[in-house]
Each structure stands twice: as structure tokens, then as C-alpha cells.
Amino acid sequence: MLGFAVIASALLLQATSYARYEPNWKSLDSRPLPAWYDEGKIGIFIHWGVFAVPGFGSEWFWYNWQGQKLLAYVEFMKMNYRPDFTYADFGPMFRAEFYNPGQWADIFKAAGAKYIVLVTKHHEGFTNWPSKYSFNWNAGDLGPNRDLVGDLADAIRSNTDIKFGVYHSMFEWFNPLFLKDQANGFRTQEYVKTKTLPELYELVNRYKPDVVWSDGEWMALDEYWNSPEFIAWLYNDSPVKDTVVVNDRWGNNTRCKHGGFWDCTDHYKPGKLVPHKWENCMTIDKYSWGYRRNARLADIHTMEELIEQLVTTISLGGNLLINVGPTAYGEIAPIYEERLRQMGSWLGVNGEAIYKTKIWTYQNDSVAPNVWYTSGQTNSSEPAVYAILLSWPTSNSLRLGSPVASADTQVSLLGYPGQFQFKPVPGGGLDISIPSIPTSSMPCEWGWVLRLTALKNQETKIDPAAFAKSVQSIRMRKEEPVTPK
């Protein structure tokens, strides 16, 4: 009997190992999200391309100049370039002469990132790798004359434990094959079959990314892009089938509905719990994903703002993907590097309340303003709830309304020795005594974390009302960045 059970278990394991996903969303959405993604919480987005050469307005420079013919862009070109200058003339000027992938890897590691997503091709069509499907409009044939994607992948994998991911735009603004398919009402697929899909297969087979972050899909249905077929291959037969994650941008009918994790919109902040793993992709520069030469300090998010984005996103069950736009000469500007290293310094103290955490019963406190919660385990594997304070108390006490203390509850400040005294509040809550801490002894400059252990309501119990009743996807026209005043 025991032998039969062992054989049956082995057959079941073998059948599970050979389970295949069908090219439809019901099957594809049944695939469990690889654990590393939810546990990692924090990624770095890197918008890099020919658009960094003009470094004006945003990464939508070409379209704004020659598609929409916006006056600011037309005047910029008239004042700074010869009359017959074309966007293709920017290509050789994208030289990346100071590009040091090892230095980038060091910055991303210092930032505390667990994954990165590099833009390999934006809507301008220029590929940052020597793609054989982008003749003479790729980083191998002109400009840098090197494999920008492969060099960073090698540096990340050689020097860090960060997961390497790729962003790829499905469409290209002015590609004649795409425009032809569009004119045909997307009933033909010449562009998809000769450009989009070959590039995607080439990227995955060559660089083996753990994230495939799709974009530029909003003009046509997923069936035009052949998205379900590609993702089925990605999950079944690709070299990263067991580790890869994908987002939700695979057709104008898929956002906030299908995919491994949801982005829904740029800068997505739902405000409530979402019944699916989601990501907030946001920019350090408030007005652009790509590098802007004329960006002002006021255009850059402060650390207080970035910590708020991080804390509120994680408390609501999301991941935070923080974008930087490198220069055309291949450097991450010092202001972006400073922000990333500051974030890493904060995580060095408070990462216990971020990495591998889960949502708690309450996402923010019912009494104290600017206090957000996560739940997880201490470094000694003891269950804990973390109360993250976005502002330091102005008095010597702090009342929290959501935690309920037991006789064994302890309260401590991450990065600071000892325990904080507190008194249970009748009916629930804690009155915590805040000691006078010298500035030199404060564990961090922004966002302070109280560790709460052995609470009576330690176990997470979610009220269905905490979930958003509907999740809104992006409108079918990409929103434009707001031009700074």
C-alpha cells in the first residue's frame, strides 16, 4: 500500500511538472505568481533611449515634435538645430560614452532594489541591443556601437542578486508597417509578425529576463498582438518559464484584468486594496520618464515624497517601481543617484517592515494620521505588525487606534535599542510613550517604524469593504506628461 502511495505521488508530481498553459487568459491567469516578485517589493525602472539626446520635454519628444507638432517642441528644434534635421539624426549622438554598467549595478544594489526593468525599446523603435529586426536603428549599428542591454544584464548578474527585467514597447509611432496595419483596422499583422514578436523572442532567448514589462499596446486588442500565444510560450517553453513575471499591458482589453501583476495606469495608486498583485510605477522626475536637461530641483520628488510612495504602496499590497532616466552619455544624474542611495539607507534600517511583508488587517491607522501598517516577521522570525510613521510625533506620546495589546506585547523602534513603554487603551488601541531621542541617535531621517509583537489582533483579517469595488484601467490614449510651469 505504501509503495502504491509513493508511485501515485510521483505520478502526480510528474503530471504537475508537465502541466502546460493554454494561449487564453483563463489558463494564463491561473499561473501562480513567482514568489520572488511579491517578496522583493522594490524595483528600478530605467527609461533610456535616443530621446535622452534632446533631453527636452519627455521621452515622447519625437511624437510631440513631429506627430502632434506641439509649439514648444517645434520652437526648440528651430532654435537649436538646422532646418533639415530629422529625429534619426539624433541616433549617432546617442553615444553613451560614459556608460559603466558596473557603476549602475552598484547604485541599484545600494538602493535596496530587488529587480530592475530596463527600457530595451521605447515607442521611437530604437533598440538598446543589436537586434537583427531593427536594421540600422539599434545600439549596435550606431551611437554606442555596443550591446547596452547585455552589458547591464551581465553587470547585474555578476555583482548583485537583483533580478534583471526588460521593458519593450509593442508599437512604434512612425513604423510604416504598424501604420499600415493600423490603416487596415488591425485586421492585418505584418508589423506584429515581422517586428514585435521577433523582438520579444529575441530578447527572452538572448537575455533571459525575469520580468517582461510590455507597453505600447493600447491601440489594438490582444489578439492583434498575439499576446496570449507569446505568454503561453513564455510560461511553457522559454528559458525563464519558472521565474518570469509579466505585467498587464498586452492589448487594450487587458489592463487591470490579465497578466502576472497589474499596472493599470502609470503612477497607479488605488487608495484601497486591489484583488490582484499590482505595481506602482512612478518617476523621480515628476514630469518625465526620460532624462530632461532642463529639469529643476523642484521637479524632483523629495525623499519624504518617495518614502510616502513606498510605504503607502507596500501597505496596500503593491510593489514600487521607481524610474530614473539616464543621460545620453550614459550616466545616472547625481540627483537621481542621491535619491536611490538615500532610499537604500532607509531600507537598511527599515527593510524588515518592507521586504517579504504582507498586508495587515488595517492598512492605515484609525486614529493617528500618516501611520501605515504592514505585517511580517522580525529578523528572529517572530510574527510582527509594523506601524510606519510618515511624520514624527510632536509630543511625547502617540495613540494608535488599530492595534490591540496582549500581556506579552512589546513595542520597539527599528534601528533604536530597547523597548518603548505603552498603555492599552480601553476598547482597543495603544498609548505609546515617545522618549526624547537625540538627533544623532535617530535611526533615520524620514519614515520611522514601530515594531509591534504579540498583539491580540496580530492575525490578518481583511474586511471585504477594504477592497476597491472596481479597478479602473488606463484610457485608450496614453496620457501625456504634464509640462512643468
Side-chain angles (χ1 to χ4, degrees):
M1 182 65 70
L2 180 61
F4 176 78
V6 171
I7 293 172
S9 298
L11 290 174
L12 178 61
L13 178 62
Q14 185 180 38
T16 303
S17 300
Y18 287 105
R20 293 180 64 82
Y21 296 96
E22 299 296 324
N24 61 72
W25 289 114
K26 181 178 180 180
S27 177
L28 297 174
D29 288 342
S30 71
R31 177 182 183 258
L33 187 71
W36 73 261
Y37 179 81
D38 178 59
E39 293 175 355
K41 305 298 184 187
I42 301 166
I44 306 296
F45 217 171
I46 309 152
H47 271 67
W48 200 27
V50 173
F51 48 79
V53 178
F56 177 83
S58 78
E59 71 287 351
W60 278 58
F61 183 93
W62 191 6
Y63 183 80
N64 289 338
W65 169 36
Q66 294 191 319
Q68 289 199 310
K69 302 187 186 301
L70 297 182
L71 182 60
Y73 294 82
V74 172
E75 290 297 318
F76 173 82
M77 291 303 298
K78 185 182 297 184
M79 293 175 60
N80 295 286
Y81 297 92
R82 67 179 189 268
D84 61 344
F85 196 93
T86 69
Y87 191 80
D89 291 325
F90 282 126
M93 302 166 68
F94 178 50
R95 295 176 55 200
E97 60 266 38
F98 297 132
Y99 177 44
N100 183 338
Q103 183 183 51
W104 286 23
D106 176 71
I107 294 171
F108 301 149
K109 182 178 180 179
K114 297 302 181 182
Y115 62 101
I116 68 165
V117 178
L118 173 66
V119 168
T120 62
K121 186 194 77 170
H122 202 256
H123 314 322
E124 65 187 10
F126 184 90
T127 64
N128 282 329
W129 80 99
S131 175
K132 61 183 179 181
Y133 303 103
S134 187
F135 176 73
N136 205 38
W137 192 232
N138 66 76
D141 288 341
L142 79 166
N145 296 124
R146 63 187 288 189
D147 185 351
L148 303 178
V149 177
D151 290 349
L152 184 59
D154 291 343
I156 289 292
R157 288 166 173 154
S158 298
N159 301 301
T160 77
D161 60 357
I162 296 172
K163 300 286 188 181
F164 180 77
V166 297
Y167 163 111
H168 176 268
S169 174
M170 304 276 268
F171 92 129
E172 299 169 15
W173 288 309
F174 303 111
N175 188 298
L177 295 180
F178 176 77
L179 296 177
K180 180 180 176 182
D181 282 352
Q182 184 181 19
N184 291 333
F186 298 112
R187 290 183 294 272
T188 57
Q189 295 177 300
E190 188 174 356
Y191 170 77
V192 172
K193 293 181 177 179
T194 60
K195 196 73 164 63
T196 298
L197 286 176
E199 285 179 348
L200 281 169
Y201 285 111
E202 186 178 50
L203 275 172
V204 172
N205 284 317
R206 183 177 297 185
Y207 304 111
K208 301 174 178 57
D210 287 308
V211 182
V212 178
W213 211 103
S214 179
D215 194 21
E217 84 304 346
W218 57 82
M219 298 179 74
L221 294 168
D222 59 337
E223 63 186 35
Y224 166 73
W225 300 112
N226 281 22
S227 296
E229 289 77 11
F230 171 74
I231 298 175
W233 170 81
L234 200 61
Y235 289 175
N236 290 325
D237 301 310
S238 78
V240 288
K241 59 185 177 67
D242 296 323
T243 59
V244 72
V245 297
V246 302
N247 64 339
D248 59 351
R249 303 185 182 191
W250 297 97
N252 63 18
N253 56 332
T254 65
R255 291 200 188 197
C256 293
K257 295 180 181 178
H258 303 297
F261 61 90
W262 294 352
D263 281 287
C264 298
T265 67
D266 296 344
H267 305 275
Y268 182 54
K269 294 184 68 178
K272 299 190 77 172
L273 296 178
V274 173
H276 192 87
K277 184 62 188 182
W278 62 278
E279 180 182 74
N280 172 9
C281 61
M282 53 83 64
T283 59
I284 294 180
D285 180 340
K286 300 173 186 177
Y287 302 105
S288 177
W289 298 84
Y291 178 70
R292 289 191 303 134
R293 290 184 290 163
N294 60 335
R296 303 167 300 174
L297 184 60
D299 300 337
I300 307 301
H301 277 296
T302 65
M303 275 310 300
E304 289 84 356
E305 290 169 338
L306 288 177
I307 295 299
E308 180 182 11
Q309 289 267 351
L310 171 62
V311 169
T312 55
T313 296
I314 305 304
S315 293
L316 290 168
N319 276 23
L320 187 67
L321 185 62
I322 304 173
N323 179 76
V324 295
T327 67
Y329 44 89
E331 293 214 327
I332 295 172
I335 188 65
Y336 301 129
E337 179 179 353
E338 180 182 57
R339 291 290 185 270
L340 293 180
R341 290 187 182 275
Q342 287 173 326
M343 184 178 70
S345 175
W346 186 86
L347 287 164
V349 175
N350 301 298
E352 179 184 317
I354 301 297
Y355 302 120
K356 297 185 179 181
T357 57
K358 303 293 183 182
I359 57 174
W360 189 45
T361 303
Y362 305 94
Q363 287 68 65
N364 55 338
D365 193 68
S366 58
V367 173
N370 298 320
V371 175
W372 293 79
Y373 292 103
T374 62
S375 67
Q377 292 186 336
T378 69
N379 292 333
S380 58
S381 299
E382 181 182 6
V385 168
Y386 300 94
I388 309 174
L389 286 55
L390 294 180
S391 57
W392 187 254
T394 56
S395 67
N396 60 0
S397 67
L398 171 68
R399 172 166 290 191
L400 298 179
S402 299
V404 179
S406 71
D408 298 319
T409 294
Q410 292 186 334
V411 179
S412 58
L413 178 66
L414 292 187
Y416 187 76
Q419 306 293 323
F420 282 14
Q421 299 299 311
F422 70 92
K423 294 180 179 178
V425 175
L430 307 175
D431 273 333
I432 302 172
S433 297
I434 305 297
S436 297
I437 302 175
T439 302
S440 59
S441 298
M442 288 295 283
C444 52
E445 297 182 54
W446 329 269
W448 301 266
V449 180
L450 295 175
R451 180 200 290 129
L452 314 173
T453 57
L455 294 174
K456 283 186 179 179
N457 60 342
Q458 191 98 34
E459 183 181 349
T460 301
K461 296 179 180 178
I462 302 296
D463 184 340
F467 286 90
K469 290 184 173 60
S470 63
V471 183
Q472 298 297 320
S473 64
I474 197 170
R475 61 182 184 270
M476 290 305 108
R477 169 68 173 86
K478 172 86 170 183
E479 64 262 52
E480 297 287 349
V482 178
T483 302
K485 297 179 180 179

